[in-house]
Amino acid sequence: MAMTLEQAQRVGYTCLKALLRFAFMVANNLVAIPSYVLYLIVLQPLRILDSKSFWYIEGVLFKWLLAMVASWGWWAGYTVVEWGDDVKAVSEDEAMVLVNHQATGDVCTLMMCLQDKGTVVRQMMWLMDHIFKYTNFGIVSLIHGDFFIRQGRTHRDQQLVLLREHLEKYYRSRNRKWIVLFPEGGFLRKRRETSQAFAKKNNLPFLKHVTLPRIGATQVILKTLVAPQENGTPSGGDAVRKESKSKGLQWVIDTTIAYPKAEPIDIQTWILGYRQPTVTHVHYRIFPVKDVPAEPEALTNWLYQRFIEKEDLLTHFYETGAFPPPKGQTKAISREMTLSNLWLVAIQSFAFLSGGMWYCLFQYLYHCLF
């Protein structure tokens, strides 16, 4: 069937817009990421003299970088509506965030919807697949202290040991508050069939919208970061003794991301903006860490139950377009998450001005030396 003139114009406009957005994203990365690295190189003396102030500044720069990523989706009309508990109430406490994983856009969605949650973004640590280390943002995550985990049975035990060592070394020394992980261990489309086969073999519920989570990283985080008074066992080793003011991990935030028609947004869509404006829905449930069992078998059952509940939440969402109301209530309340365009423009401007400043500085030094 031949394409009409109107359809051709629409396709042409979409392609031009995608090309311009991609060029902006590349330029954004070329100035923002090197500027972040160079600022922190210059501030190394402060790291020696006052590490707390150094990591505060690093956290602010890190939040701005994530805001730039959020702006790519925000300006394309990819917005967020939030449901369930208000996580702003615990934004100053230590928390572990458990998220279902459908596509690369899940991370971008979190980068967006956590921007207005106080100090959360600059004080959070991410657990992500090791392949992310080799992306353009990998150097930023390395400096910030995120943990890159290698998937697969052959690496599992070693990775859990490395995770515990990483948490003990970096989590509280850099004043981290929230830690984000995807317990399913991969994208839904890649793990669903294996998870369903495992569930059938072990007489567990059949899940379509999520997969059964893996317990290893969650267990290590709880053992390492929960304060002794919470579970009666040492946690964090020397890190806890050095940070005696820390109350330890206090909350588990069960986060469920839902896309209309179960069509997740990937990073390519987020960058190029070729999909029509889309509202992503994010549901939160907050659990006190004292209510989370420490024993492996009980913790496994507890974590499975959270993902069975996610399945029910997503089933209801895909059938009705909304999440169900909390128990005891007749209506679910949603909240539109907003970002300030002025603030986003200011951050982008700072990035490009910083890039220009560093370029002029290196040009000056080059002419002085040569």
Side-chain angles (χ1 to χ4, degrees):
M1 184 176 179
M3 183 181 294
T4 66
L5 178 60
E6 184 180 351
Q7 289 172 329
Q9 289 176 334
R10 190 180 300 116
V11 170
Y13 171 73
T14 301
C15 292
L16 177 60
K17 183 178 70 172
L19 182 63
L20 292 174
R21 284 176 57 87
F22 181 74
F24 176 78
M25 183 276 294
V26 171
N28 202 177
N29 276 268
L30 288 176
V31 296
I33 294 176
S35 293
Y36 166 88
V37 174
L38 290 168
Y39 277 126
L40 296 182
I41 290 174
V42 170
L43 289 172
Q44 285 304 303
L46 177 63
R47 183 178 181 179
I48 298 171
L49 297 172
D50 185 356
S51 64
K52 185 176 181 180
S53 296
F54 173 86
W55 290 113
Y56 175 87
I57 295 171
E58 184 278 332
V60 172
L61 295 175
F62 183 80
K63 179 176 180 177
W64 290 354
L65 283 177
L66 268 58
M68 292 177 202
V69 176
S71 72
W72 305 341
W74 183 257
W75 288 334
Y78 304 149
T79 57
V80 172
V81 166
E82 298 177 307
W83 303 75
D85 296 332
D86 185 359
V87 296
K88 288 182 181 179
V90 298
S91 62
E92 296 301 316
D93 298 333
E94 290 189 25
M96 176 173 61
V97 184
L98 306 175
V99 193
N100 62 313
H101 208 11
Q102 300 175 69
T104 47
D106 298 341
V107 175
C108 301
T109 296
L110 289 174
M111 288 180 178
M112 176 188 287
C113 66
L114 296 180
Q115 283 290 326
D116 67 344
K117 307 298 187 294
T119 63
V120 163
V121 174
R122 67 177 176 83
Q123 292 183 291
M124 69 173 18
M125 178 181 287
W126 297 74
L127 265 66
M128 60 193 75
D129 193 279
H130 79 288
I131 198 68
F132 195 76
K133 185 189 299 185
Y134 307 105
T135 67
N136 59 319
F137 210 77
I139 182 64
V140 174
S141 292
L142 278 170
I143 293 172
H144 184 69
D146 296 328
F147 183 76
F148 301 96
I149 192 163
R150 187 181 293 272
Q151 303 292 344
R153 290 184 180 179
T154 56
H155 305 287
R156 192 168 299 161
D157 292 341
Q158 181 194 31
Q159 291 297 297
L160 295 179
V161 171
L162 293 174
L163 172 59
R164 182 182 182 92
E165 292 174 352
H166 185 89
L167 293 172
E168 291 177 344
K169 185 175 182 180
Y170 296 117
Y171 191 80
R172 296 207 170 94
S173 67
R174 298 186 181 184
N175 195 30
R176 299 293 174 245
K177 290 291 185 69
W178 282 25
I179 184 165
V180 181
L181 69 155
F182 300 89
E184 291 165 293
F187 298 139
L188 174 63
R189 68 180 186 276
K190 293 183 176 181
R191 290 211 60 242
R192 178 159 41 198
E193 186 176 341
T194 302
S195 176
Q196 290 173 347
F198 177 84
K200 183 177 181 180
K201 181 179 179 180
N202 292 275
N203 198 29
L204 294 168
F206 182 87
L207 307 177
K208 295 191 300 181
H209 306 306
V210 294
T211 66
L212 290 170
R214 295 170 177 174
I215 188 176
T218 303
Q219 187 175 25
V220 168
I221 291 168
L222 291 171
K223 283 186 175 181
T224 309
L225 299 182
V226 174
Q229 63 269 26
E230 296 289 353
N231 63 5
T233 60
S235 62
D238 293 336
V240 171
R241 288 189 287 273
K242 290 178 182 178
E243 301 290 339
S244 57
K245 294 182 180 180
S246 172
K247 297 180 181 179
L249 200 69
Q250 295 175 264
W251 310 99
V252 175
I253 303 174
D254 185 30
T255 303
T256 304
I257 299 176
Y259 299 95
K261 299 179 181 178
E263 297 176 353
I265 298 176
D266 55 27
I267 188 65
Q268 299 95 315
T269 307
W270 194 269
I271 292 170
L272 300 177
Y274 50 77
R275 183 187 290 191
Q276 291 297 311
T278 301
V279 179
T280 301
H281 297 257
V282 181
H283 184 280
Y284 306 104
R285 288 189 67 195
I286 301 174
F287 296 88
V289 77
K290 62 182 178 62
D291 294 341
V292 180
E295 294 301 315
E297 184 175 350
L299 177 59
T300 299
N301 292 332
W302 185 88
L303 198 57
Y304 280 180
Q305 188 58 40
R306 301 289 75 75
F307 276 77
I308 292 168
E309 289 170 1
K310 284 180 184 291
E311 176 78 10
D312 294 338
L313 287 171
L314 291 169
T315 298
H316 190 280
F317 177 85
Y318 295 139
E319 290 175 352
T320 66
F323 283 111
K327 290 182 179 179
Q329 298 183 23
T330 58
K331 185 178 180 180
I333 305 299
S334 63
R335 306 174 295 276
E336 289 190 16
M337 181 266 160
T338 60
L339 290 176
S340 167
N341 286 315
L342 181 61
W343 179 62
L344 293 176
V345 169
I347 291 172
Q348 295 284 6
S349 300
F350 175 77
F352 283 100
L353 288 172
S354 295
M357 178 195 72
W358 291 114
Y359 176 78
C360 292
L361 179 60
F362 282 116
Q363 285 286 93
Y364 174 77
L365 292 174
Y366 177 82
H367 288 302
C368 287
L369 294 173
F370 303 102

